Amino acid sequence: HWCRALPSDFQVRSQDGVADDWPFAYEDLLPFYLEIERDMAVSGLSGNTAYPESGSYPLPPLPIGKYGHKAASGMNKLGWHWWPGANSIASKATGHRAQCLRYGACLTGCPAGAKASTDLTHWPYALELGAHLVTGARVSEITVNDQGLATGANYIDRDGAEHHQKAKVVVVAGNGLGTPRLLLLSKSGSHPDGLGNSSGLVGKRLMMHPYAAVVGTYEDELESWLGPSGQSIESMQFYETDTNRGFVRGAKWNVMPTGGPLGMRAGYGGRPIEESFGVNFHRNVQSVLGKSFEWGIIAEDLPDESNEIVLDGKNVDSDGIPIPELHYKSSENTSKLIDFHVDRAVEAHQASGASSISVTKLMRDCGWHLLGTARMGNDRNESVVNQFGRSHDCANLYIIDGSVFVTSSGVNPTATIMANALRSMRHLADTHTNQKTAN
């Protein structure tokens, strides 16, 4: 799913009186959204009325399929917003990537190589230009000198051998879990509470995207075993705050196909586990396969300092490095938000003519978007890095992943992570002559 954050996502404090504003606006990130969309060869349809007008996607949209048309029919009856979903899946062959062949295996690996990932979109070009890629390297510490500047990183290879990589500048991209873990591991005399942690906020304000799934089954054949398994259509109908609902902020909806027989597992649709075995499994496949689709709900998660990543004091990984602990609890605002959106998604399925509807209010394995644990900001006492990802405490340390998010937004974060990383690294490249280094 390729989704830009909306303008309101960067001004949550100013607009809704909660959380904090980002240190820049949507308009500041827009040129980098456009550039990274070209790099990733995103397929989509321009003109989405939920966004300001901002040019076309590099590739035409993927087909929304019969299930997308069925979902859209219900939204049209209700008068609710929908738009063909943009995806980082190639609708035409481009660069190192083939055209999507609609295998429907997007969640487990694309046999055609049509789905964008940086091993296809960026690494081939970087390697051609002389970049050296070390895989299977587990970083245990970012090292610093007596002045507190980064000198490189210690890492352990696949064979358990320890190495030190020198660096004039260190860039971290371990996301909301790996980045705070590494910073907390990197204690020194000049950084006694962990590298870049003078604010005490490293690991704090963890945000995720609690995810609800509302699956409708229909009498019609919808071919919902066909790919792509990205978003067929999306809706921002209930994205912005309406205080009459009893909560703030909102969520993006996306239609996804329910896939082949292996997609009929019970844990996804709220059914008892015995429904996934034996005679029950075959009965369900015959009645549901190709006849259902999901309205998925990505709930915005507001920052809370008690939601955090800390180092485990007892347990270590296979290389002897302390593992991270994740402490998280959904807020009352999030619970109210999900309840409201689930009820509306049920209405959407009913308007489309569903014969049965299954609700999963919170998918247990939805901790895939880990954000906010090294947040950016202008005030060094209230943030870990500045607006370009540079540490307030260590002038040659940069963070360019989702941990720098100030708020989570209510959309899939990859587009914003990559656009922000591009903005940060372009700034570093443009100002490198003034960059302070240890070497």
Side-chain angles (χ1 to χ4, degrees):
H1 302 198
W2 189 269
C3 314
R4 300 176 193 164
L6 276 73
S8 65
D9 290 318
F10 298 90
Q11 299 175 334
V12 173
R13 166 62 67 175
S14 297
Q15 181 165 300
D16 297 317
V18 295
D20 292 298
D21 292 344
W22 289 49
F24 54 77
Y26 173 86
E27 292 75 18
D28 298 313
L29 201 56
L30 180 57
F32 303 96
Y33 274 132
L34 294 171
E35 183 173 346
I36 202 67
E37 284 165 7
R38 292 193 296 271
D39 292 342
M40 301 298 283
V42 174
S43 300
L45 181 67
S46 62
N48 190 337
T49 54
Y51 288 86
E53 181 56 43
S54 53
S56 59
Y57 291 100
L59 294 179
L62 294 154
I64 68 173
K66 290 183 179 180
Y67 53 90
H69 282 279
K70 178 64 75 172
S73 70
M75 300 297 273
N76 287 341
K77 286 180 183 178
L78 294 167
W80 291 353
H81 168 270
W82 69 270
W83 198 260
N87 294 275
S88 55
I89 301 171
S91 58
K92 292 183 177 180
T94 178
H96 291 269
R97 291 159 60 197
Q99 177 182 348
C100 173
L101 298 179
R102 306 193 70 188
Y103 286 118
C106 306
L107 298 177
T108 52
C110 177
K115 187 174 72 170
S117 52
T118 51
D119 60 316
L120 299 176
T121 62
H122 287 74
W123 273 114
Y125 303 104
L127 293 171
E128 289 169 6
L129 293 170
H132 181 57
L133 173 63
V134 180
T135 60
R138 180 177 277 166
V139 180
S140 60
E141 180 186 13
I142 298 171
T143 56
V144 298
N145 63 12
D146 292 340
Q147 288 75 47
L149 292 170
T151 58
N154 293 331
Y155 72 91
I156 302 167
D157 67 20
R158 291 185 189 276
D159 298 321
E162 297 184 8
H163 304 267
H164 178 73
Q165 175 61 54
K166 290 183 178 180
K168 291 184 177 181
V169 174
V170 173
V171 181
V172 179
N175 220 35
L177 181 64
T179 288
R181 179 198 189 191
L182 180 57
L183 297 180
L184 293 172
L185 285 168
S186 303
K187 293 183 178 181
S188 65
S190 52
H191 301 279
D193 298 316
L195 184 57
N197 195 27
S198 65
S199 64
L201 290 175
V202 169
K204 302 288 187 180
R205 302 181 187 178
L206 169 68
M207 296 173 286
M208 293 191 273
H209 279 145
Y211 188 86
V214 183
V215 176
T217 301
Y218 293 76
E219 299 297 330
D220 303 328
E221 172 55 59
L222 301 177
E223 295 183 343
S224 52
W225 41 267
L226 267 177
S229 295
Q231 54 178 351
S232 171
I233 69 174
E234 66 179 17
S235 175
M236 303 295 189
Q237 178 66 32
F238 304 106
Y239 193 85
E240 305 292 353
T241 294
D242 181 345
T243 53
N244 292 324
R245 300 172 189 154
F247 58 87
V248 295
R249 306 304 296 156
K252 181 205 111 180
W253 296 12
N254 45 254
V255 163
M256 294 180 66
T258 44
L262 290 178
M264 301 291 105
R265 62 194 190 279
Y268 198 71
R271 296 188 300 271
I273 192 66
E274 57 267 20
E275 290 292 300
S276 287
F277 294 93
V279 174
N280 291 336
F281 174 78
H282 289 282
R283 185 192 69 245
N284 290 334
V285 168
Q286 290 176 347
S287 62
V288 176
L289 179 63
K291 297 182 179 181
S292 61
F293 66 84
E294 169 197 319
W295 269 118
I297 300 164
I298 296 180
E300 175 158 0
D301 197 21
L302 293 171
D304 184 331
E305 204 152 316
S306 63
N307 291 334
E308 61 179 348
I309 302 294
V310 298
L311 294 180
D312 189 303
K314 299 179 181 178
N315 299 300
V316 297
D317 62 25
S318 57
D319 286 314
I321 305 171
I323 65 172
E325 283 185 9
L326 189 154
H327 300 165
Y328 177 85
K329 183 179 180 180
S330 289
S331 68
E332 181 181 357
N333 188 80
T334 298
S335 297
K336 289 180 178 179
L337 187 158
I338 290 176
D339 287 345
F340 172 88
H341 281 262
V342 164
D343 289 344
R344 302 292 79 72
V346 168
E347 290 181 36
H349 272 301
Q350 291 171 337
S352 294
S355 56
S356 65
I357 299 171
S358 176
V359 173
T360 304
K361 280 200 172 182
L362 183 64
M363 290 185 65
R364 292 178 62 86
D365 59 346
C366 66
W368 42 63
H369 299 162
L370 299 164
L371 310 165
T373 52
R375 57 158 291 176
M376 68 171 77
N378 296 322
D379 185 347
R380 63 181 300 124
N381 296 313
E382 291 295 328
S383 57
V384 177
V385 298
N386 71 9
Q387 65 169 306
F388 296 109
R390 188 175 73 182
S391 166
H392 291 303
D393 300 343
C394 182
N396 62 338
L397 172 69
Y398 289 78
I399 302 173
I400 58 168
D401 55 52
S403 67
V404 303
F405 277 33
V406 180
T407 52
S408 69
S409 80
V411 300
N412 311 68
T414 302
T416 302
I417 290 173
M418 296 192 77
N420 181 63
L422 178 59
R423 179 177 183 266
S424 295
M425 294 297 93
R426 185 65 51 71
H427 177 77
L428 173 59
D430 291 345
T431 61
H432 75 279
T433 55
N434 299 321
Q435 174 63 51
K436 193 173 184 180
T437 68
N439 300 316

